[in-house]
Amino acid sequence: MSTESVFFRPEPVVANSDSRRNYLPVERINNRFELIAKPFAWEVKGGKWLPVLSPIFFQRGLNNYDDQGVTDPEAVRSIYRRKSCVCIDPNDPRLGASVTKGGFANYIAAVPATNPAFGSTGRYYLLWCESPVETAGEVVWRMDMKAYDAFRQHLVDADIVKIDRSIADIVISKKKAQLSAMEMVPMNTEAKVNRLAAMKAEISAMVKALKGLAAPKAARGARPVAFIPEPVIDELDTFRPDEE
Amino acid sequence: MAADTYASLNTDLGISKYLNMSFIELLHETQDLKEVATYFPFTGGAGSAAMKLRQIQPVDAFSVPGEDTAPSVVNFTTANATITVAKANLYRSVTDLAFITGEMEVEQIVSSFVKSLVYYRSGLISALSSGFTSNTATGTTLTALTVDAVYLAMFELQRALVPKPYNCVLHQKQYSEFQASLRGETATPFQRADSTQKALEAQDMGATQMEWFGINMRTHASVPKVNASLDYSGMMVGKGAIGFTEAPVANFIRQYAFNPQTLAGEEAVICQDLSTEAKGSRTWICHYYPGVAEVEDARGVQIVSVVA
């Protein structure tokens, strides 16, 4: 036995670490997700075209994630790639360093969470730039929009997602179609008036931001294909001047 | 002396409160989104947990090559989708003493399994709402849902040739905003149609199943959040947008009879009642093998509105 002295420091007796842990109250404990960029989901913010990102969830039993007996994110991603979406893999080297080191890799984060209705606990997955704050059972969802927009801009700058004139034209055309449907409705509430004004402003900003966009070129995700009109010769045989 | 009272006698002759035997359920999500998805029967024993669905385009263009000209062969346009089942379960354990004293009843456990299963399955279905790509998402980020967004979603599906009826799945907050917006839709006689009246008068938000202009309006608390948790992502889908299946367990149970106490009340659910003698407890496990997947993207559209 060692003759070296061992010192014991009394510690206050408190509840165990589990019960002291803070859990974020959420409506539903979600599943691991990643972001995708849909080909025509774009917005203009500060004069820049930024992709509107959507989550895809990785959960056994959903979209073939449990593939051939093992979980396989690629089985899920492939569904969306077939639809010209760009799946933003958090480990993509083009995202740079990890979010903890100033880059955008590993952009998915998690916090310990609970569903108060069930008392169940688990992890709630969110983006690194989200910071929910709980006060007396109510949650304020804080979000570093500047960081999020920088992330979206990086996706464009790093050629992970692609915007060009053709895509922008289609986005604007779809927005205009929705606007024209709205314009047929009587503007009898403030919400409608505001919404219509916002839609017009959004389209106007998009048109203005067209200037900085490159002409279409082959890229990841949506691949624009230019069609050159060719003269149609001899397809219609109803009018042949030389036979008259 | 003062008279004997309830209070004075209670200590020796009474109990502080007697037990009403009914169980009053706390608030929970009751809506089943099963009808939103299209059910494809799963064939057990066929060698795979994945089921391939065959899709075929039945319509092709006729050609008019001329009376004395052979036409070109037109190939079928085909596609496929896959649904893979995976196990999900809920595990409860209750001591014998809890049963003996009447604090718990088996019926409560089974009822809880079924309701939890419905909640789980509906969560799988609603998780697909953020992935629809072909049709332009309606609604606006950071803005409350309006009746216009629901109309626009309907227009998107109509334009994509999706036949009615549609199913619209919204978060309860989105649905409340839809109703609030409907209240403002009084400018035209059309908006005063019966459907609108019913939508405004709908009760019992937990299990809303209301039809509005050929759209079954539904709510679910599992509607996912998008745009960095700032928006809800509801959806409107036609039949065939989402497929779901459940691996049947009846044959498996008959073949292996692995536990004489196995209950198979449902075709797709195994509830195992196992006794742990050393502890004097019973464990109840509900196994369920569902699979949910997007089958045809163009049959659905995302509906976005603000969370807070």
Side-chain angles (χ1 to χ4, degrees):
Chain A
M1 187 179 284
S2 169
T3 56
E4 196 173 326
S5 301
V6 179
F7 296 91
F8 293 90
R9 180 175 296 167
E11 290 180 1
V13 177
V14 293
N16 64 40
S17 59
D18 276 351
S19 60
R20 283 168 56 202
R21 198 169 184 186
N22 290 322
Y23 290 97
L24 173 70
V26 292
E27 277 185 293
R28 182 182 172 87
I29 291 175
N30 64 0
N31 287 86
R32 178 78 164 77
F33 70 90
E34 282 177 11
L35 294 174
I36 59 167
K38 299 177 186 178
F40 303 115
W42 290 85
E43 66 177 335
V44 168
K45 205 169 174 185
K48 306 266 186 164
W49 286 85
L50 299 176
V52 176
L53 305 172
S54 297
I56 54 171
F57 294 94
F58 299 114
Q59 184 176 1
R60 290 173 191 269
L62 182 67
N63 270 341
N64 313 318
Y65 178 50
D66 197 64
D67 187 36
Q68 309 292 331
V70 292
T71 54
D72 181 11
E74 278 303 312
V76 182
R77 291 176 188 139
S78 66
I79 292 173
Y80 293 92
R81 288 202 186 104
R82 280 199 295 272
K83 300 192 293 184
S84 296
C85 298
V86 175
C87 298
I88 303 159
D89 184 343
N91 299 313
D92 188 333
R94 291 173 298 172
L95 292 175
S98 170
V99 288
T100 56
K101 293 175 181 169
F104 296 109
N106 314 121
Y107 62 84
I108 300 293
V111 293
T114 181
N115 181 333
F118 304 160
S120 59
T121 56
R123 303 177 91 190
Y124 185 83
Y125 293 92
L126 68 180
L127 299 181
W128 90 103
C129 54
E130 297 175 49
S131 51
V133 179
E134 184 206 346
T135 307
E138 292 289 321
V139 176
V140 180
W141 214 273
R142 298 196 194 285
M143 167 78 182
D144 185 348
M145 283 307 290
K146 209 171 162 187
Y148 184 57
D149 289 345
F151 169 59
R152 296 195 292 166
Q153 185 62 54
H154 178 81
L155 297 177
V156 177
D157 296 343
D159 263 4
I160 297 172
V161 297
K162 204 75 187 171
I163 178 76
D164 63 28
R165 183 72 190 236
S166 297
I167 293 171
D169 282 343
I170 293 168
V171 173
I172 292 170
S173 147
K174 286 173 183 276
K175 295 279 180 192
K176 281 182 175 172
Q178 292 193 341
L179 176 67
S180 65
M182 274 288 290
E183 284 173 334
M184 294 173 198
V185 179
M187 292 293 113
N188 59 337
T189 65
E190 200 172 329
K192 280 177 186 289
V193 173
N194 292 343
R195 177 74 199 111
L196 195 70
M199 285 175 90
K200 285 179 176 170
E202 183 184 22
I203 292 171
S204 169
M206 284 181 165
V207 171
K208 210 175 280 180
L210 276 175
K211 283 181 187 167
L213 292 179
K217 61 179 181 181
R220 282 172 63 103
R223 292 174 187 275
V225 180
F227 292 92
I228 300 163
E230 292 178 3
V232 177
I233 302 165
D234 282 348
E235 276 196 1
L236 293 178
D237 53 3
T238 53
F239 177 69
R240 290 180 187 273
D242 55 343
E243 289 178 4
E244 284 188 347
Chain B
M1 277 191 116
D4 283 331
T5 63
Y6 165 73
S8 68
L9 295 174
N10 187 256
T11 305
D12 287 327
L13 305 185
I15 52 177
S16 59
K17 41 179 109 54
Y18 78 94
L19 193 65
N20 184 304
M21 295 308 288
S22 60
F23 284 91
I24 303 162
E25 292 180 340
L26 295 169
L27 283 173
H28 61 285
E29 175 58 84
T30 56
Q31 179 72 281
D32 187 354
L33 298 183
K34 183 172 70 173
E35 302 298 326
V36 172
T38 305
Y39 176 70
F40 295 95
F42 188 90
T43 302
S48 180
M51 173 173 63
K52 184 172 167 178
L53 304 175
R54 303 186 299 171
Q55 295 167 302
I56 193 163
Q57 171 57 268
V59 173
D60 257 314
F62 268 65
S63 61
V64 280
E67 187 177 347
D68 195 26
T69 308
S72 303
V73 171
V74 178
N75 295 123
F76 270 111
T77 300
T78 60
N80 71 82
T82 303
I83 304 179
T84 309
V85 295
K87 185 173 83 171
N89 49 28
L90 180 59
Y91 185 22
R92 294 193 189 279
S93 182
V94 181
T95 66
D96 291 345
L97 191 58
F99 283 115
I100 291 165
T101 55
E103 287 174 341
M104 183 47 66
E105 292 170 11
V106 173
E107 290 76 11
Q108 283 308 313
I109 294 171
V110 175
S111 163
S112 154
F113 282 157
V114 172
K115 288 174 180 172
S116 303
L117 181 152
V118 166
Y119 178 74
Y120 178 76
R121 178 171 60 202
S122 300
L124 286 174
I125 293 168
S126 65
L128 291 174
S129 66
S130 59
F132 291 111
T133 303
S134 302
N135 298 310
T136 308
T138 69
T140 312
T141 183
L142 299 177
T143 306
L145 188 76
T146 64
V147 67
D148 300 299
V150 176
Y151 269 121
L152 289 173
M154 182 174 77
F155 298 158
E156 288 288 330
L157 295 189
Q158 284 175 177
R159 192 167 51 195
L161 307 178
V162 183
K164 278 188 173 177
Y166 302 150
N167 276 295
C168 185
V169 180
L170 302 173
H171 187 272
Q172 280 81 356
K173 181 174 181 290
Q174 289 184 300
Y175 185 72
S176 300
E177 289 165 353
F178 167 71
Q179 285 184 306
S181 179
L182 269 181
R183 293 175 65 192
E185 295 288 323
T186 54
T188 60
F190 181 60
Q191 301 293 357
R192 295 198 192 97
D194 286 349
S195 293
T196 299
Q197 286 302 324
K198 282 179 195 162
L200 288 171
E201 291 162 7
Q203 301 292 314
D204 190 8
M205 287 292 288
T208 298
Q209 286 196 33
M210 175 269 297
E211 191 268 344
W212 185 77
F213 294 125
I215 305 165
N216 295 313
M217 305 295 294
R218 299 170 188 272
T219 58
H220 206 274
S222 293
V223 164
K225 291 176 182 175
V226 296
N227 298 336
S229 300
L230 298 174
D231 294 322
Y232 282 120
S233 170
M235 63 179 161
M236 190 184 293
V237 296
K239 189 174 168 59
I242 297 170
F244 95 95
T245 191
E246 296 168 325
V249 298
N251 286 341
F252 166 66
I253 290 169
R254 273 196 294 274
Q255 187 176 353
Y256 292 97
F258 53 86
N259 184 333
Q261 293 169 327
T262 294
L263 306 173
E266 294 268 338
E267 184 72 8
V269 179
I270 302 174
C271 289
Q272 283 177 272
D273 170 11
L274 306 165
S275 179
T276 308
E277 291 86 352
K279 288 177 63 180
S281 66
R282 304 185 83 80
T283 53
W284 297 74
I285 312 170
C286 173
H287 297 290
Y288 178 49
Y289 300 84
V292 175
E294 184 185 293
V295 175
E296 191 170 3
D297 179 77
R299 291 176 184 265
V301 61
Q302 184 184 12
I303 301 175
V304 173
S305 70
V306 68
V307 167

